Amino acid sequence: MTATPTVAVAVGVGATATATVQIHDGAHWQPVCALTDLQPGRGVAVLLPEAGQVALFRDSSDGLYAVDNLDPFSGAPVLARGLLGSRGDRPTLTSPMYKQVYDLTDGRCLDEDTTPDGTPAVLRRWPVRVAGPGGAAFGDADLDGAALDGAVRDGAALDSAA
């Protein structure tokens, strides 16, 4: 099993007011909002065609994270309203429902291994990048092409970005 592509990206130099945040839905990069629409420290819920709700965050260091919006413990689509923080050097998301804390680098719940129904307490993560006019990705935010080839998300191989 190969590793999931990194979901945290640094916005970096060159990101302008016309920059667009994109999430890879398993088949294509989907533009979801302007970079300027994301306030550091706050999340937004994004509806991806065919994939459901994703919670998208921009942290105070301009890192971007995308995880499922559905809280695995409550079943409510509320994680976009969660609180960003850290444990050591790991960025975290605290659920607004029952306050479980998730590591944003791998999606694992740091408080409990399983949900009440016995399923693993892990959030699905989504590749995210920043693109400029015409869709060109900015530097280290680019996760398309070979970086996605053969990557695995929840047991399903991602196709090459299109």
Side-chain angles (χ1 to χ4, degrees):
M1 185 163 162
T2 57
T4 302
T6 303
V7 294
V9 297
V11 174
V13 178
T16 65
T18 60
T20 302
V21 177
Q22 299 177 341
I23 297 175
H24 198 277
D25 66 3
H28 305 285
W29 287 104
Q30 300 289 338
V32 294
C33 66
L35 179 60
T36 55
D37 291 341
L38 297 176
Q39 295 180 10
R42 298 207 173 201
V44 297
V46 173
L47 183 60
L48 290 179
E50 312 290 326
Q53 289 187 26
V54 173
L56 176 62
F57 296 90
R58 180 178 182 181
D59 67 17
S60 60
S61 300
D62 281 339
L64 298 175
Y65 302 90
V67 297
D68 272 350
N69 195 36
L70 192 67
D71 181 322
F73 287 87
S74 70
V78 296
L79 290 179
R81 293 179 180 226
L83 298 173
L84 292 182
S86 64
R87 285 204 182 161
D89 63 350
R90 311 288 283 198
T92 60
L93 170 64
T94 301
S95 170
M97 293 298 288
Y98 301 125
K99 311 305 184 230
Q100 281 86 6
V101 177
Y102 298 89
D103 184 329
L104 286 170
T105 62
D106 63 13
R108 287 180 311 112
C109 179
L110 300 176
D111 301 319
E112 300 180 50
D113 293 331
T114 59
T115 63
D117 68 3
T119 59
V122 179
L123 298 177
R124 180 170 38 179
R125 299 169 299 130
W126 298 87
V128 60
R129 72 177 183 183
V130 177
F138 287 111
D140 59 347
D142 185 6
L143 296 175
D144 64 351
L148 283 176
D149 247 356
V152 173
R153 183 195 70 219
D154 293 341
L158 290 171
D159 298 327
S160 293

